[in-house]
Amino acid sequence: MNLRVAVVADRVSWEERQLIAAAPDANLELTWVNDESLCLGAEGAPALAAYDAVLVRSRSYTRGGLIATAAEAAGVRVCNAAKAIRACENKLELRTEMHRAGIPAADHRLVLSRRDFELALGQIPPPFVLKPIYGGMGKRVTLVRTADTAQSVYDYVEDLGHGFEQAMLVEPFLDGGTSIRCFVVGREIVAAAEFASAGGDWRSNAALGNQTRALPRDPALAKIVDDVVDVLGPGVYGIDLFRSGGDLIVNEVNHAPAFRAVAESTGVDVPRAIVNHLREELS
Amino acid sequence: MTAATLTGTCPECETDLTVPPMGEGETLSCPECMLTLRVEAVEDGRMHLRMVEVALRDWGQ
Ligand SMILES: Nc1ncnc2c1ncn2[C@@H]1O[C@H](COP(=O)(O)OP(=O)(O)OP(=O)(O)O)[C@@H](O)[C@H]1O
Ligand SMILES: [Zn+2]
């Protein structure tokens, strides 16, 4: 009998379509369930009663953790675990967890006001990066190269940011030009690729459509990823790292990672790895 | 049985659409008004479509 897994997301994108297609080979049946219509909270989570488990694929960084928390509370098996999703959604939370476990992550200052910002500038001089604590796809991640522009950049945070959007981090600019994306399933790195900025933008994340090349096996990378998985628990993660002066530093972890670019640049069958992992977790 | 094509009507501009087979949750963009439409359900080869945002403001990745 195929086990039934709800793929919770606001829509079926390329990744979810691949997962749904790969599922029968792992004796699973994956079905899209709209993340906007679960109305969780009631005993036993009626909207999810027909499923043996939930795969959270909400790309939204507000919905994922909330849905996972409520579903777990109702006794539903959830991948990734709520605790892991909550850590991934919040850049400060993630840095704190990494720090606690002794895993290198970027130095940072929490900036909630202009006063914080001014103090942060004194401690992390330009060039630095100003980025939202809740954010994604590289949006609003700003490289400030000189002190002259810092205050006017902050004007935009103050004038146009609402509530949560004003919660920012200041980090040193780790200049290397490339960032590494590790796609982790369970505890294993199934694919690793290096992204280089396409030229027109200093940012090099996958969401901005940058160049990619597959990375060979690297023991140092395997070690840091293993440490991150020790903190978050096994799951499906996109772990972004920087190489800075030879050292690897964790930048962020995505809990519902896209995998088109990494699958195409490495040839790895990522959907198969994910459905096999789900199958193992469920048996 | 999967139909060779599916049909539906854009809920915004009422254009009739014929598309290759798609599953629930997948999206398409209406060739007439360019809005992003999500397949809510498929019944007898007919899609029930609903307008959604191209991308949500809080998408991470
Ligand atoms: N401290 C830093 N030093 C150098 N480059 C950085 C730094 N922080 C961010 N970047 C660059 O900006 C990109 C986007 O930053 P970050 O990953 O923190 O934001 P995001 O919105 O979570 O992006 P995504 O979710 O797509 O990974 C990174 O991939 C990297 O290229
Ligand atoms: Zn239309």
Side-chain angles (χ1 to χ4, degrees):
Chain A
M1 244 267 296
N2 283 358
L3 291 173
R4 303 200 60 199
V5 178
V7 181
V8 171
D10 80 294
R11 72 193 60 181
V12 172
S13 303
W14 187 86
E15 280 77 8
E16 288 73 37
R17 194 164 353 117
Q18 306 299 312
L19 292 169
I20 291 169
D25 282 344
N27 297 319
L28 295 177
E29 186 185 330
L30 263 58
T31 309
W32 171 65
V33 174
N34 190 346
D35 68 8
E36 295 162 340
S37 58
L38 294 171
C39 195
L40 293 169
E43 189 125 0
L48 296 170
Y51 302 96
D52 299 297
V54 163
L55 176 66
V56 177
R57 287 289 312 179
S58 283
R59 277 196 276 169
S60 147
Y61 50 79
T62 42
R63 293 180 188 177
L66 298 172
I67 288 169
T69 300
E72 271 181 11
V76 180
R77 307 184 66 153
V78 182
C79 176
N80 289 318
K83 171 182 162 288
I85 297 179
R86 289 195 302 259
C88 295
E89 284 172 344
N90 177 323
K91 289 194 166 74
L92 181 72
E93 190 72 37
L94 185 80
R95 277 160 183 66
T96 309
E97 295 262 354
M98 297 295 111
H99 187 73
R100 195 180 294 138
I103 301 169
D107 187 20
H108 59 269
R109 295 295 179 275
L110 172 62
V111 170
L112 301 172
S113 66
R114 193 180 294 269
R115 185 73 191 118
D116 274 339
F117 186 60
E118 281 160 358
L119 291 168
L121 296 201
Q123 298 172 33
I124 301 181
F128 63 82
V129 174
L130 177 67
K131 62 168 76 168
I133 286 183
Y134 308 94
M137 328 242 325
K139 279 195 251 170
R140 298 199 290 135
V141 177
T142 306
L143 168 59
V144 179
R145 288 194 191 268
T146 68
D148 311 12
T149 47
Q151 296 298 336
S152 30
V153 166
Y154 196 80
D155 290 343
Y156 285 92
V157 175
E158 202 172 54
D159 291 349
L160 302 176
H162 305 277
F164 284 114
E165 296 165 358
Q166 289 192 359
M168 309 290 287
L169 290 179
V170 163
E171 287 181 356
F173 174 49
L174 304 167
D175 193 6
T178 62
S179 57
I180 296 169
R181 156 64 63 99
C182 281
F183 202 96
V184 171
V185 178
R187 298 197 57 95
E188 303 301 316
I189 300 176
V190 298
E194 196 151 3
F195 291 89
S197 139
D201 196 311
W202 67 281
R203 295 165 296 179
S204 60
N205 49 332
L208 293 170
N210 287 297
Q211 292 151 3
T212 319
R213 83 182 169 89
L215 270 186
R217 276 195 96 69
D218 171 344
L221 188 60
K223 165 80 173 82
I224 193 167
V225 165
D226 206 52
D227 292 345
V228 173
V229 176
D230 278 341
V231 172
L232 298 176
V236 178
Y237 304 110
I239 304 184
D240 288 347
L241 306 108
F242 298 127
R243 218 189 281 276
S244 167
D247 295 326
L248 289 165
I249 294 179
V250 175
N251 175 40
E252 66 151 357
V253 182
N254 287 291
H255 63 84
F259 49 80
R260 190 170 190 165
V262 87
E264 284 171 358
S265 64
T266 61
V268 172
D269 191 345
V270 175
R272 178 185 289 269
I274 296 175
V275 296
N276 285 345
H277 165 70
L278 280 175
R279 181 75 220 188
E280 270 169 40
E281 291 276 289
L282 290 173
S283 44
Chain B
M1 270 285 291
T2 26
T5 55
L6 297 175
T7 58
T9 304
C10 175
E12 297 302 312
C13 73
E14 299 185 343
T15 297
D16 287 325
L17 305 168
T18 303
V19 300
M22 299 179 66
E24 288 177 11
E26 290 191 60
T27 56
L28 60 128
S29 104
C30 171
E32 189 60 33
C33 69
M34 303 307 288
L35 291 176
T36 303
L37 306 175
R38 183 175 64 199
V39 180
E40 300 292 287
V42 182
E43 238 175 291
D44 299 329
R46 264 202 83 72
M47 299 176 292
H48 172 57
L49 297 165
R50 185 194 173 104
M51 189 198 101
V52 293
E53 300 288 323
V54 177
L56 302 187
R57 267 194 86 203
D58 66 346
W59 268 0
Q61 189 357 205

